[in-house]
Amino acid sequence: MPAALKIVSNVGILPVIAVPALESAVSLADALVKGGVNVIEVTLRNPWAVESISRIRQAHPDIAIGAGTILETRQIAEAREAGADFLVTPGLDAEIVADAREAGLPIVPGVTNPTEIATAVKLGLTTLKFFPAEISGGVSALTLYHGPFPDVSFVPTGGMTMDNIGSYLTQSFVAACGGSFMAKGDDIKAGAWEKISENCRKCIEIVREARS
């Protein structure tokens, strides 16, 4: 497993954030790190997302930064130049996987069914985003998929909350749970940094309890 993805797995939580304003990017990262979460996926859903990655990288050289919602090849180069350590896609695109590999960046593509998982495995991938997790069968589905794909680790995303992540994290094949449940958009906009840090601490405790 690539180093950046090992950090994600060790933390057990992957904040998936559409940074609402460029000015809040570093403060958000500060709050996450203060709460014990030294990883973030910045989704490329707004014009300032790449610059947000760049600013977070400058402020936190050691944090693992993912660039999410990668849909086009050009975004790979932009994310890499900004300082992203890994890429995340909502679905499985063999061309984007190949381009990411050529760029030297680990990629975590989204999958929802056995066919997509099998295709990803053939492409040499073993860490996959299960998205959207809750409406795609949740823990029960992942438990079934683990049988034929024992070497795959999943990052369930979509419908994750602090109330249900524990049930996922007890499973050895779940690397981390992704979502914005620890740093909701309204809290970021309000600058509720201590609340976000406290949510991160609670998440870390859930991870510890689930994995103990």
Side-chain angles (χ1 to χ4, degrees):
M1 182 182 289
L5 298 186
K6 285 183 180 178
I7 294 175
V8 174
S9 181
N10 289 339
V11 174
I13 297 294
L14 176 59
V16 180
I17 311 294
V19 179
L22 180 58
E23 294 72 21
S24 62
V26 173
S27 295
L28 170 61
D30 291 344
L32 296 176
V33 171
K34 185 178 179 181
V37 176
N38 60 334
V39 60
I40 184 173
E41 174 191 330
V42 177
T43 60
L44 305 189
R45 298 182 186 179
N46 52 52
W48 53 87
V50 172
E51 179 60 23
S52 294
I53 291 174
S54 180
R55 292 194 182 188
I56 292 172
R57 169 56 66 219
Q58 292 175 24
H60 292 280
D62 297 327
I63 194 174
I65 306 175
T69 321
I70 298 292
L71 298 173
E72 302 177 40
T73 297
R74 64 172 180 79
Q75 294 175 307
I76 296 174
E78 293 172 351
R80 181 183 180 184
E81 290 172 8
D85 299 299
F86 64 98
L87 308 173
V88 183
T89 63
L92 179 62
D93 185 313
E95 182 178 351
I96 288 180
V97 170
D99 291 338
R101 183 170 287 129
E102 184 175 346
L105 287 176
I107 187 167
V108 182
V111 298
T112 59
N113 59 61
T115 299
E116 292 173 343
I117 297 171
T119 300
V121 169
K122 285 184 179 180
L123 292 173
L125 302 173
T126 56
T127 302
L128 307 176
K129 173 180 177 178
F130 184 52
F131 175 79
E134 280 289 275
I135 64 173
S136 298
V139 177
S140 297
L142 286 180
T143 301
L144 291 173
Y145 296 153
H146 175 62
F149 304 105
D151 297 324
V152 173
S153 294
F154 295 96
V155 181
T157 308
M160 299 293 95
T161 70
M162 284 194 283
D163 292 327
N164 66 16
I165 59 174
S167 62
Y168 285 87
L169 292 164
T170 56
Q171 309 302 320
S172 61
F173 46 82
V174 170
C177 289
S180 59
F181 46 87
M182 79 301 290
K184 296 181 179 180
D186 288 343
D187 289 334
I188 298 173
K189 291 176 183 177
W193 309 124
E194 185 52 45
K195 179 180 179 182
I196 291 172
S197 293
E198 181 58 27
N199 285 343
C200 288
R201 295 185 192 102
K202 292 178 181 177
C203 288
I204 293 299
E205 184 59 31
I206 293 171
V207 174
R208 288 173 180 165
E209 291 180 359
R211 291 178 170 176
S212 63

